[in-house]
Amino acid sequence: VTNLRVVFDDLVRFETVLWGEIDARLRRELDVQLGSVNAMMVIDSTPECRVYDISQSLAITVGGASQAIDRLEKAAWCVRRANPADRRSSILELTDAGHALLKKAVVVFDDELDRMIRAPLSASALTQLASALHTVRHSPTSHVQST
Amino acid sequence: VTNLRVVFDDLVRFETVLWGEIDARLRRELDVQLGSVNAMMVIDSTPECRVYDISQSLAITVGGASQAIDRLEKAAWCVRRANPADRRSSILELTDAGHALLKKAVVVFDDELDRMIRAPLSASALTQLASALHTVRHSPTSHVQST
DNA sequence: TAAGATTGAAATGTCAATCTTA
DNA sequence: TAAGATTGACATTTCAATCTTA
């Protein structure tokens, strides 16, 4: 019988270590943090990306997402452009410097994922891990909305 | 071929949601946060538990662990006792109130794990998830010590 | 010298209140 | 009224400096 407390422990601690190692290498080599890279990846892959979209993709609050975008703008990696379709929000766009940084960052990111996730697992174990994580993440029990 | 970025995303976001839901229920029903419960579980299951042991088990820094224990002591759920074997450190012990709270908290904790992890998965998928998480967490690549 | 621990400053997230526009 | 976003106050963590004891 599977001990769920052990699963929780391995899940949380591995996430902490994984995040920490990728973050440390990004800071050391490119002077950028993983949170910023994550946000830039969302902006880069989301058409007409708003602050709200960042918060949903990263599972953080809208307030936290707004502050994260503040940091990106201060570093000149992204800009808020007026949204012609809805004047309450802005459309987020990466600057040239942001695109250039992201291009280098994803190389480090992918390399670390390969080292920390792919390398230790067999091909089938990786497939099963991916499948199970996708299932629990998108399970209805994870999406209870409080109106 | 498995997309590691999707695996990373599902891993990190599910961990965030899972932590958030358990934490919210613990605060609502027992007025305690998940970080405190986690620390108390370590104290309860570690003989002669020191602050250093907390930091290792929870994958946080020693400074962070020290402050977490400060909060437990302030709430009167744990005490630092003199360590006869080494006067640099203390031995952490749960108080009666701490034991009583922990007993209630693990019921909520286990119930949430069942709902969020066990319920959405088949028995074999859960076994495979547990196995893969254990492998990546204890892989040598996750344990590179910087001297 | 090194190990265990503590402390204060800085970073990052949540929460609640508020503002603007739909 | 509700939705998108911003802001300030607060909480928790990391990092570095420091203290005490091995």
Side-chain angles (χ1 to χ4, degrees), chain A residues 55-111:
Chain A
S55 73
Q56 292 299 296
S57 295
L58 302 186
I60 60 178
T61 61
V62 180
S66 181
Q67 294 171 335
I69 298 302
D70 288 345
R71 291 192 292 272
L72 289 186
E73 272 200 311
K74 185 172 291 183
W77 292 325
C78 126
V79 291
R80 287 169 162 98
R81 295 217 175 283
N83 183 354
D86 187 335
R87 282 190 301 175
R88 292 172 302 182
S89 64
S90 300
I91 299 298
L92 307 177
E93 287 180 6
L94 295 184
T95 62
D96 290 345
H99 271 116
L101 174 65
L102 182 58
K103 191 174 176 183
K104 295 182 197 169
V106 295
V107 175
V108 171
F109 185 61
D110 290 338
D111 183 61

Side-chain angles (χ1 to χ4, degrees), chain B residues 7-27:
Chain B
V7 176
F8 175 85
D9 196 54
D10 286 340
L11 174 70
V12 172
R13 296 344 144 191
F14 177 64
E15 190 274 346
T16 301
V17 172
L18 177 65
W19 185 281
E21 296 218 1
I22 301 176
D23 187 65
R25 198 175 147 196
L26 286 170
R27 288 175 187 269

Side-chain angles (χ1 to χ4, degrees), chain B residues 33 59-61 63-64 67 71 86-88:
Chain B
Q33 55 182 358
I60 60 178
T61 62
Q67 294 173 332
R71 290 191 291 274
D86 187 335
R87 283 191 300 176
R88 292 172 303 183

Side-chain angles (χ1 to χ4, degrees), chain A residues 9-10 13-18 21 112 115-116 120, chain B residues 56-57 59 133-147:
Chain A
D9 195 54
D10 287 340
R13 293 348 141 190
F14 176 65
E15 191 273 346
T16 302
V17 171
L18 176 66
E21 296 218 1
E112 285 295 304
R115 182 176 72 83
M116 304 271 296
Chain B
Q56 293 297 297
S57 294
L133 285 177
H134 187 272
T135 299
V136 291
R137 182 189 173 186
H138 296 91
S139 161
T141 57
S142 299
H143 295 155
V144 181
Q145 288 283 38
S146 52
T147 58

Side-chain angles (χ1 to χ4, degrees), chain B residues 87-142:
Chain B
R87 283 191 300 176
R88 292 172 303 183
S89 64
S90 301
I91 300 297
L92 307 178
E93 287 180 7
L94 295 183
T95 62
D96 289 346
H99 271 116
L101 174 65
L102 181 58
K103 191 174 175 181
K104 295 182 197 166
V106 295
V107 175
V108 172
F109 185 60
D110 290 338
D111 184 60
E112 284 296 302
L113 294 183
D114 225 84
R115 183 176 71 84
M116 303 272 294
I117 300 179
R118 171 160 281 142
L121 297 172
S122 69
S124 67
L126 175 59
T127 301
Q128 291 160 356
L129 174 66
S131 171
L133 285 177
H134 187 272
T135 299
V136 291
R137 182 189 173 186
H138 296 91
S139 161
T141 57
S142 299

